[in-house]
Amino acid sequence: MTAYGSTTLLVIAKEPLPGRVKTRLTPPYSPEEAADLAAASLADTLGSVLAAPARRRVLVLDGQPGPWLPSGIEVVPQCAGGLDERLAAAFAGCSGPTLLVGMDTPQITPGLLAPALGPDAWQDCDAWFGPAVDGGFWALGLAEPDPELLRGVPMSRPDTGALQRARLTGAGLRVRELPRLRDVDTADDAGKVAGAAPDSRFAAALARLATAAGHAGAGGGR
């Protein structure tokens, strides 16, 4: 049994700059609007991480911190290379139980993360795996953060989650699963995730864009 709050929480993210984040949201959204949604998603994610019990809370960032970064979060730069290398390096910088999440699931809550963060989280368990609707994964936890468990796993494919999970079980790890969640990749995803988390910053940002689009449409009809 591990002590409550003894797990490191990692968030891997890109700085929410127009043209660099959520490019699959354009169209229908402009690059600036997509960046606003990404910033809201990241703010929701960091808020949940701050509210969850953890030994360290670390943002592994591609880019520079901005006004969206709350206090209480360490920031380390992402390394160069493919996503597998960047994830591996994020784990390599940690010791002891570590749980990594992305910035594309603003619907996560401390309660949803709780199974992987409680005092019994690592009892008879070596890894936690959060599958995503698109076939990837939104969370990965390792009792011993071995970067070789991620290096070489093909990323951004419909079978990425299955391949990553197979890497874990192939190494003899005992794996527990977190709930299956939807990443925000497309406009359809955005609407469904906002519906699942109506009180989130992300849902509010999406509603503002819808209202602005409605006003623009009304104005254009005069």
Side-chain angles (χ1 to χ4, degrees):
M1 182 177 293
T2 57
Y4 191 65
S6 64
T7 296
T8 295
L9 265 172
L10 298 176
V11 179
I12 189 158
K14 286 183 179 180
E15 180 184 0
L17 293 175
R20 293 197 67 239
V21 291
K22 296 289 123 212
T23 54
R24 289 174 61 188
L25 291 177
T26 58
Y29 300 106
S30 70
E32 291 75 18
E33 290 170 338
D36 287 344
L37 290 172
S41 180
L42 181 53
D44 282 323
T45 302
L46 294 177
S48 291
V49 165
L50 278 173
R55 182 166 62 91
R56 295 173 62 201
R57 299 171 180 86
V58 184
L59 174 63
V60 187
L61 182 64
D62 176 4
Q64 299 298 317
W68 42 263
L69 180 68
S71 60
I73 303 282
E74 301 174 46
V75 180
V76 299
Q78 287 186 30
C79 75
L83 181 56
D84 64 314
E85 288 289 343
R86 287 179 277 138
L87 294 177
F91 277 103
C94 301
S95 61
T98 302
L99 179 68
L100 177 142
V101 300
M103 64 179 285
D104 300 332
T105 47
Q107 70 270 47
I108 65 171
T109 62
L112 191 145
L113 298 175
L117 299 175
D120 297 329
W122 303 102
Q123 186 172 356
D124 300 322
C125 175
D126 305 303
W128 284 90
F129 186 78
V133 170
D134 64 3
F137 60 94
W138 65 270
L140 179 63
L142 297 173
E144 297 293 337
D146 179 1
E148 294 306 318
L149 291 168
L150 294 105
R151 288 196 177 107
V153 175
M155 296 287 163
S156 303
R157 291 178 15 176
D159 59 351
T160 289
L163 293 170
Q164 181 62 73
R165 199 181 192 290
R167 176 71 69 88
L168 303 177
T169 56
L173 303 188
R174 298 163 296 179
V175 182
R176 293 182 188 169
E177 289 207 355
L178 289 164
R180 186 169 175 257
L181 295 184
R182 180 180 295 275
D183 287 331
V184 175
D185 290 321
T186 66
D188 181 62
D189 293 331
K192 290 177 178 176
V193 168
D199 296 327
S200 63
R201 294 178 181 87
F202 182 82
L206 193 68
R208 285 195 298 272
L209 293 181
T211 299
H215 286 325
R222 289 194 190 97

